[in-house]
Every structure is written in structure tokens, then in C-alpha cells.
């Protein structure tokens, strides 16, 4: 399976290049960056510290995708939507880990996915996806008797807050408890803001240094507390999840899939 990577010179792009090289059955045929990026024209392997690969970083997505079967995209929602348009036009698959989609952007992505199979997953880690399953079970058992609070920590370069993963965790718990996440998520407490609402799900973010990503969901009851935590030690596990998603996507019908589909956790 021939893979092109967009955002190839980014933090995740570099790890994706290593993961594609390590994955059996995958071959890196293209590397794309935004027009004007200083590393356009350089060898993608050398930029990623993976040795020379003979794959030059280009800004021309459409030409690069002629050879590739699937586009691996860890960029930003507005960029991903443009990439989806190109892939839908050419009939190529897309796996994206971009985070921070608005509901409108998600709807737009769904339209492109009527033509091609797409994996959109705000967190490609196998461990985090196991946590989603555990959270559903915990919420089912604990019900309305426990207050739910979510705390996430990330590096100081992260652009979106709370993380896509924290939002997904909030949605999983809210859905199981029969609540609307958008109604019950509370992102801010300051001053005399009153007692905690019973149904609310507190969403707190911490930003600093080089933290790859940590999430804890607290289920806080009377006299006891359950914490479900995931700590990412390196970006490689996201990249490995993404290569697994590429392989799984081959031969699937058009539509949007997530990592729960890829890992068959549904
Ligand atoms: P980054 O800023 O290091 O890399 C993004 C890259 O995209 C940059 O190199 C940038 O030049 C490139 N880019 C921007 N606009 C472009 C365009 N129009 N065309 C081509 N390339 C373009 O960011 P990062 O830390 O690698 O994260 C990238 C995305 O992946 C973010 O949305 C982040 O939240 C997400 N992320 C997802 C997961 C997951 O498991 N799903 C894990 C980590 C990061």
C-alpha cells in the first residue's frame, strides 16, 4: 500500500515517516508540506532523521497523490478539508489525526466521505481507544451518583483546548449518562460561581513544556473516587495507530470511520 504524508516536516509528520518505514506492507511514496515551507525540496527521510529515502517534500498534493493509495494527514481541520477535497476527486483514501474540528467542519468532511473511505480520529493511540471503552463501562456502572471531571495536560505548542481526546472522553461519558456533552461541559470556574451542577462535566486543561499528552477522567463519589488515566510517553504510538488505520481502511466502503472501528471495539 502506497502512502503519502502531509505535514511531513511537522512533529507528527516525522514520527509518521518512521512508522510507515517500520510497517509491513506500507511504502512511503510522497511527502507534502505547505507552500513556502523551508523544507520543500529536501528529502523527507533526512528531515525526519530516518536516512535518505528518495522522497522529496513537495507542496503539490494532487500530483503526489496520483501515485499514492492513501494520504496520512496530521495537520489542522481547515487543511484536512482541502486535502479531503483532493482525495475525493482522485478516489484516494485518507487517514487524518487532525484535531479541533467544529461540527460544521465535521459535516463537510462527511460529504467528502460519501466518495472515499476516511478514518478521522482525534487520538490514534490504541491505549486511549481502550480508555474510551473503559469509560463507557465505568459510566454505565457508576451512573448519576458520581461527579465527572476531566483534566488533560499537553505541551506548550498545542493550539486547541481542550484536546480532541478530552472532548471525546467527555462525549463518551455524557452519551452513556444520557446527557448532551455540549450542554453539560463546563470549561471555566472562577470567583463565586456557585455549587457544581450535578450533571456537569468539568473540562480542565494544563499546558506546558514538552508533555506529549495526558488525560485523566475522575468519577468522584461520596467517600470514593475512580480515576481512569492515560499517559503518552512519545508520539510514536499515535503514528503506529495511524499506520494500523491505513492497513485496515484498504477495501472499505466510503464513509467516515474512527479508531473504535479500526480496533473493532464497537
Ligand atoms: P505541527 O505544527 O508540528 O505539524 C503540522 C504540520 O502541518 C506542519 O509541518 C505544517 O507546516 C503543516 N501544514 C500546515 N498547513 C499545511 C498545508 N496547507 N499543507 C501541507 N502541510 C501543512 O503539529 P503536530 O504536533 O504534528 O500536530 C498536527 C496535528 O495532529 C494537530 O491537529 C494535532 O492536534 C494532531 N495530533 C493528533 C494526534 C492523534 O492521535 N490523532 C496525535 C498528535 C497530534
Amino acid at each position: 500500500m502506497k502512502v503519502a504524508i502531509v505535514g511531513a516536516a511537522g512533529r507528527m509528520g516525522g514520527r509518521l515517516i518512521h512508522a510507515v518505514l517500520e510497517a509491513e506492507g506500507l511504502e512511503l511514496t510522497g511527502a507534502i508540506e505547505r507552500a513556502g515551507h523551508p523544507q520543500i525540496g529536501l528529502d523527507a527521510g533526512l528531515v525526519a532523521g530516518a536516512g535518505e529515502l528518495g522522497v522529496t517534500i513537495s507542496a503539490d498534493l494532487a500530483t503526489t497523490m496520483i501515485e499514492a493509495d492513501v494520504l496520512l494527514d496530521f495537520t489542522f481541520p481547515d487543511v484536512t478539508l482541502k486535502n479531503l477535497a483532493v482525495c475525493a476527486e482522485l478516489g484516494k483514501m485518507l487517514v487524518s489525526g487532525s484535531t479541533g474540528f467544529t461540527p460544521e467542519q465535521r459535516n463537510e468532511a462527511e460529504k467528502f466521505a460519501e466518495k472515499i473511505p476516511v478514518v478521522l480520529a482525534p487520538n490514534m493511540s490504541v491505549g486511549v481507544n481502550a480508555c474510551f471503552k473503559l469509560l463507557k463501562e465505568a459510566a454505565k456502572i457508576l451512573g448519576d451518583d458520581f461527579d465527572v471531571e476531566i483534566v488533560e495536560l499537553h505541551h506548550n505548542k498545542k493550539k486547541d483546548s481542550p484536546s480532541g481526546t478530552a472532548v471525546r472522553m467527555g462525549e463518551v461519558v455524557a452519551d452513556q449518562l444520557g446527557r448532551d456533552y455540549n450542554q453539560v461541559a463546563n470549561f471555566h470556574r472562577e470567583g463565586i460561581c456557585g455549587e457544581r451542577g450535578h450533571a456537569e462535566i468539568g473540562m480542565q486543561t494544563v499546558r506546558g513544556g514538552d508533555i506529549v499528552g495526558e488525560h485523566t477522567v475522575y468519577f468522584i463519589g461520596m467517600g470514593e473516587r475512580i480515576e481512569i488515566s492515560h499517559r503518552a510517553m512519545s508520539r510514536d504510538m499515535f503514528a503506529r495507530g495511524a499506520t494500523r488505520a491505513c492497513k485496515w481502511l484498504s477495501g472499505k466502503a466510503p464513509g467516515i470511520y474512527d479508531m473504535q472501528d479500526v480496533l473493532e471495539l464497537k
Side-chain angles (χ1 to χ4, degrees):
M1 189 177 203
K2 293 179 176 169
V3 183
I5 294 173
V6 59
R11 280 180 291 264
M12 275 306 300
R15 300 326 304 162
L16 290 166
I17 288 172
H18 285 267
V20 169
L21 294 178
E22 282 161 21
E24 215 173 294
L26 298 189
E27 180 194 349
L28 185 71
T29 58
I32 300 113
E33 258 300 339
R34 63 175 165 75
H37 193 283
Q39 281 157 330
I40 299 269
L42 301 184
D43 186 276
L46 290 179
V47 170
E52 193 165 354
L53 298 174
V55 176
T56 304
I57 300 181
S58 154
D60 184 348
L61 177 64
T63 305
T64 304
M65 286 312 293
I66 291 171
E67 194 186 352
D69 301 308
V70 60
L71 180 64
L72 252 177
D73 163 310
F74 277 61
T75 59
F76 306 100
D78 55 333
V79 179
T80 302
L81 287 174
K82 287 184 189 142
N83 296 340
L84 265 169
V86 172
C87 288
E89 183 69 30
L90 295 172
K92 306 289 181 169
M93 299 175 281
L94 182 139
V95 170
S96 178
S98 300
T99 63
F101 281 81
T102 62
E104 294 74 31
Q105 287 173 321
R106 169 85 196 184
N107 288 343
E108 219 181 308
E110 273 165 20
K111 291 214 180 83
F112 291 120
E114 286 168 9
K115 292 191 181 152
I116 49 166
V118 174
V119 171
L120 277 195
N123 196 310
M124 300 256 178
S125 139
V126 173
V128 161
N129 282 279
C131 279
F132 291 150
K133 180 98 174 165
L134 296 173
L135 287 169
K136 192 171 156 67
E137 283 305 303
K140 191 166 155 188
I141 296 164
L142 302 172
D144 286 326
D145 292 339
F146 286 68
D147 294 327
V148 183
E149 295 280 314
I150 300 179
V151 181
E152 57 101 336
L153 298 80
H154 280 89
H155 54 88
N156 57 19
K157 302 276 185 289
K158 186 161 177 67
K159 294 189 175 67
D160 52 323
S161 287
S163 72
T165 302
V167 170
R168 187 70 206 122
M169 287 177 161
E171 288 171 346
V172 167
V173 173
D175 284 354
Q176 183 60 44
L177 295 173
R179 302 174 196 168
D180 177 350
Y181 169 79
N182 292 311
Q183 299 291 323
V184 300
N186 183 352
F187 303 98
H188 189 76
R189 296 188 185 108
E190 189 184 23
I192 311 297
C193 54
E195 288 183 12
R196 184 187 193 285
H198 181 65
E200 78 185 42
I201 297 179
M203 303 290 294
Q204 311 297 327
T205 62
V206 177
R207 293 286 174 266
D210 63 351
I211 301 171
V212 176
E214 301 189 6
H215 296 82
T216 298
V217 180
Y218 296 89
F219 292 88
I220 310 168
M222 301 307 286
E224 60 181 339
R225 183 167 83 227
I226 291 172
E227 299 174 14
I228 296 181
S229 286
H230 179 271
R231 292 194 181 91
M233 313 301 176
S234 89
R235 289 184 171 78
D236 289 342
M237 46 100 195
F238 301 126
R240 272 188 224 110
T243 55
R244 189 159 162 176
C246 284
K247 290 188 204 176
W248 179 87
L249 201 51
S250 177
K252 293 289 181 296
I256 289 201
Y257 303 95
D258 60 21
M259 280 305 278
Q260 301 283 301
D261 295 307
V262 173
L263 301 173
E264 292 173 3
L265 291 174
K266 280 186 171 163

